[in-house]
Amino acid sequence: MPPQQNYRIHDDNDTTYFPATKSGTRNDIRKSVEAGACNINEIGLENFIRNIVEVLDLNLGENVVFNLNDRGIIHKWSDVFAIERTYSACLGISERFYTCHGYVHKIQQHYGYFVLEEFNKRTVSFLPAFKFYVYVCCYYDHKTRTVTKVDVQYDQMSFFLHALGLQNVWRWVVSNLLTPLAMVWMAAFRATGMVNPFTFLAQILLVLVLIYWEFW
């Protein structure tokens, strides 16, 4: 379980903080609740989720709409956990340590959201351990307090670059090669005085035509 939480009441003019252990606290909350950062050292997504839902007295049913980056929607918790265990093994991730930053509960809207810091240890020495940050939003049924939907958003490309040990190389390429080139292009583009979506798309088409002409 996380350490002592700090709850807050939102008014139009100010925000008042007070400890969660104060008598009558939960009955006085009108709009939202914020829990402080909580360290949950667990191996695997399932253990983490079963711990974090207890922060807001929620529970897990069998079914859920688990939206992963708007690219994959999973409908059962058992499938969510099985997928996580499988790709962790495939990517050489042995342990995951989680830290929840700023868990905010929107009571009237029946959802909570937080930024999750994930530290991944590796099974082999030549693959570097890495940290990653994920935005998670959980919706629930206010009568049963069962989680019904989870939206997970993260930079998928960066995750796999980290997993392959290539993130530092990609960061150097972007910082030292692509960014200076983009700055030169931006200055030239602005100098034309014709910065708009149509001229931007025209440039992309021109580059594609030149690439096709050169290589095909």
Side-chain angles (χ1 to χ4, degrees):
M1 287 297 292
Q4 177 176 320
Q5 305 164 21
N6 291 325
Y7 291 88
R8 64 182 182 182
I9 290 180
H10 286 268
D11 293 322
D12 293 336
N13 299 320
D14 59 8
T15 301
T16 303
Y17 292 84
F18 47 88
T21 54
K22 183 177 179 180
S23 177
T25 293
R26 294 216 168 191
N27 294 329
D28 294 335
I29 296 174
R30 292 195 295 273
K31 291 185 179 179
S32 68
V33 180
E34 180 178 359
C38 48
N39 294 317
I40 302 176
N41 294 324
E42 294 287 356
I43 300 174
L45 182 66
E46 181 173 3
N47 291 334
F48 170 77
I49 289 180
R50 293 192 184 282
N51 275 277
I52 200 66
V53 294
E54 293 183 13
V55 174
L56 296 177
D57 296 328
L58 302 179
N59 58 81
L60 302 181
E62 180 181 352
N63 300 317
V64 68
V65 178
F66 196 93
N67 186 342
L68 186 60
N69 249 18
D70 292 326
R71 293 185 177 90
I73 298 179
I74 310 164
H75 297 280
K76 289 185 177 295
W77 280 113
S78 58
D79 292 336
V80 172
F81 301 141
I83 290 170
E84 188 271 341
R85 287 191 292 267
T86 302
Y87 82 71
S88 294
C90 292
L91 296 177
I93 297 172
S94 61
E95 293 180 323
R96 282 179 161 168
F97 298 91
Y98 296 94
T99 301
C100 173
H101 295 282
Y103 200 127
V104 177
H105 180 196
K106 295 291 186 179
I107 294 178
Q108 293 178 347
Q109 292 84 4
H110 314 304
Y111 74 91
Y113 61 90
F114 58 93
V115 174
L116 173 65
E117 178 185 319
E118 174 186 297
F119 178 73
N120 296 279
K121 295 181 66 176
R122 314 306 296 275
T123 55
V124 290
S125 59
F126 64 85
L127 290 176
F130 64 94
K131 283 185 179 182
F132 204 72
Y133 297 90
V134 182
Y135 169 77
V136 182
C137 188
C138 299
Y139 300 84
Y140 63 92
D141 185 304
H142 70 283
K143 294 181 179 179
T144 64
R145 300 194 66 81
T146 300
V147 176
T148 57
K149 181 181 178 182
V150 178
D151 287 333
V152 178
Q153 299 291 330
Y154 67 98
D155 184 347
Q156 200 165 23
M157 177 180 175
S158 292
F159 177 83
F160 285 107
L161 287 172
H162 274 296
L164 296 172
L166 298 176
Q167 178 63 18
N168 289 336
V169 175
W170 176 244
R171 183 183 295 117
W172 185 91
V173 169
V174 171
S175 300
N176 295 281
L177 299 179
L178 298 183
T179 299
L181 182 62
M183 295 296 292
V184 172
W185 166 82
M186 182 187 68
F189 191 22
R190 289 172 60 87
T192 66
M194 296 186 295
V195 179
N196 59 67
F198 300 104
T199 55
F200 177 67
L201 290 175
Q203 291 181 74
I204 295 176
L205 291 175
L206 177 60
V207 170
L208 293 176
V209 169
L210 292 175
I211 291 175
Y212 178 82
W213 184 270
E214 180 69 22
F215 295 100
W216 282 273

